[in-house]
Amino acid sequence: MNRRWLALASLLTLVAGLLTSFGPNDVMRAVPNTSFTRGEVLNYKVHYGLINAAEATIEVANDIHRINDRPCYKATVTGRTTGSFDLFLRIRDTWRSYIDTTSILPQRFFRNIEENHYRKKETVDFDHARDVVMVEVRKKEKDPPKQGTYKVPNNVQDLVSGVYFLRTINYDQRRIGEVIRVQGFFDEEVFNMDVIYKGRETVETKAGNIRAIKLVPKMPSNKLFRGENAISVYLSDDRNKIPVLIQAEMFVGSVKVDMYKYQGLRNRLNLVAQN
């Protein structure tokens, strides 16, 4: 897979994989949620330097789905390259999570990756009672699927559901510099990541100036991002806590994911008045 898009694809999912949480040891927790609901749609532009490289959409379906006999939100992230990028690096990716409405835990995760000639379809079913996941992966239509079962931590998140869980956290109770311990499952592996709460600031987006909560995930040593503090994630500083901006410094250049349109928010977005 092209390394440049590996980074962009991660950002199109709003680095959700870096922002998943390891909760308490109860089998089915109850997480209060006043931040999102059905029908929410968020639209983003992805800029690679000065180039408009891609677009992404994050949306919650209007209907409730039942997975593993649990009511779930269907949250879908789609990303596609645009303009000149689409001529040499054609991307059409879909990531989907069925998120338990009570626990904000994933019951099922789905990925359909189309990046140039690379193809991958993956389904992950979560059994939170036994703390295991069942994975099915298919890279070619004619090939039999690869299947596996993996042990995972209690209350583990997938990439997409992790973002929605972060939106339920009360950051008024966090100290600047405090580290949020996180854990998730992605690409047939359990991963750990620390996220630093950096406080509040106002950020400029295509949707307007927005008061935001700043989070910085500590990156492990890698060949994509420049340093352990290479990514900054901004959530709106209101009851919605929607991702409004992501900035990343990579070895191949700077990337910005900028929200430009939104609809169906549960609460009013706290835009900063301009003089």
Side-chain angles (χ1 to χ4, degrees), residues 24-264:
N25 291 324
D26 54 324
V27 172
M28 188 53 67
R29 69 189 183 187
V31 174
N33 169 33
T34 59
S35 297
F36 65 89
T37 189
R38 294 176 288 172
E40 180 187 86
V41 182
L42 309 173
N43 299 99
Y44 300 85
K45 299 284 188 182
V46 182
H47 306 280
Y48 177 68
L50 299 177
I51 302 173
N52 293 330
E55 294 183 349
T57 301
I58 307 177
E59 59 183 310
V60 182
N62 285 311
D63 51 344
I64 293 293
H65 292 249
R66 203 159 190 90
I67 306 294
N68 298 332
D69 203 31
R70 300 285 303 180
C72 295
Y73 298 112
K74 184 176 78 170
T76 303
V77 179
T78 56
R80 57 181 293 157
T81 47
T82 58
S84 59
F85 256 67
D86 204 42
L87 298 177
F88 65 90
L89 186 61
R90 187 179 189 275
I91 306 300
R92 300 291 186 270
D93 287 358
T94 300
W95 307 52
R96 178 173 295 128
S97 183
Y98 293 89
I99 304 170
D100 191 290
T101 58
T102 298
S103 64
I104 316 299
L105 290 172
Q107 293 293 339
R108 180 171 295 157
F109 175 70
F110 169 79
R111 276 197 300 165
N112 183 34
I113 306 300
E114 298 182 12
E115 301 175 358
N116 281 346
H117 298 295
Y118 179 84
R119 297 290 185 272
K120 181 177 183 178
K121 289 187 177 181
E122 176 188 51
T123 302
V124 181
D125 280 294
F126 290 80
D127 186 336
H128 293 286
R130 296 190 299 136
D131 288 334
V132 297
V133 296
M134 289 70 72
V135 180
E136 181 176 290
V137 177
R138 188 190 300 270
K139 292 187 177 181
K140 295 181 180 180
E141 290 293 338
K142 296 181 180 179
D143 292 345
K146 174 187 173 183
Q147 297 177 325
T149 300
Y150 302 87
K151 186 69 176 176
V152 295
N154 187 245
N155 289 344
V156 72
Q157 305 281 166
D158 64 25
L159 293 181
V160 176
S161 68
V163 172
Y164 288 93
F165 176 73
L166 270 184
R167 293 174 58 184
T168 68
I169 293 176
N170 183 359
Y171 292 95
D172 292 336
Q173 300 177 357
R174 302 284 175 172
R175 301 182 307 274
I176 294 178
E178 182 176 349
V179 176
I180 303 170
R181 308 290 177 179
V182 297
Q183 208 164 24
F185 182 82
F186 175 66
D187 217 8
E188 302 172 61
E189 291 185 357
V190 174
F191 66 91
N192 302 289
M193 186 64 61
D194 290 343
V195 177
I196 305 172
Y197 169 61
K198 289 288 190 176
R200 267 91 166 176
E201 62 183 78
T202 299
V203 296
E204 183 178 344
T205 75
K206 291 185 178 300
N209 292 341
I210 301 172
R211 183 74 173 169
I213 297 161
K214 183 179 181 180
L215 303 175
V216 175
K218 295 180 67 175
M219 298 294 295
S221 178
N222 62 85
K223 298 180 180 180
L224 294 175
F225 298 100
R226 190 182 297 275
E228 67 175 14
N229 298 320
I231 299 177
S232 297
V233 180
Y234 297 87
L235 307 179
S236 61
D237 186 14
D238 52 29
R239 295 180 66 185
N240 299 295
K241 301 184 187 73
I242 58 174
V244 296
L245 181 67
I246 297 172
Q247 295 176 322
E249 295 298 326
M250 301 187 300
F251 287 106
V252 294
S254 298
V255 172
K256 181 171 72 171
V257 181
D258 188 349
M259 185 184 73
Y260 71 93
K261 188 169 64 174
Y262 56 90
Q263 65 183 57

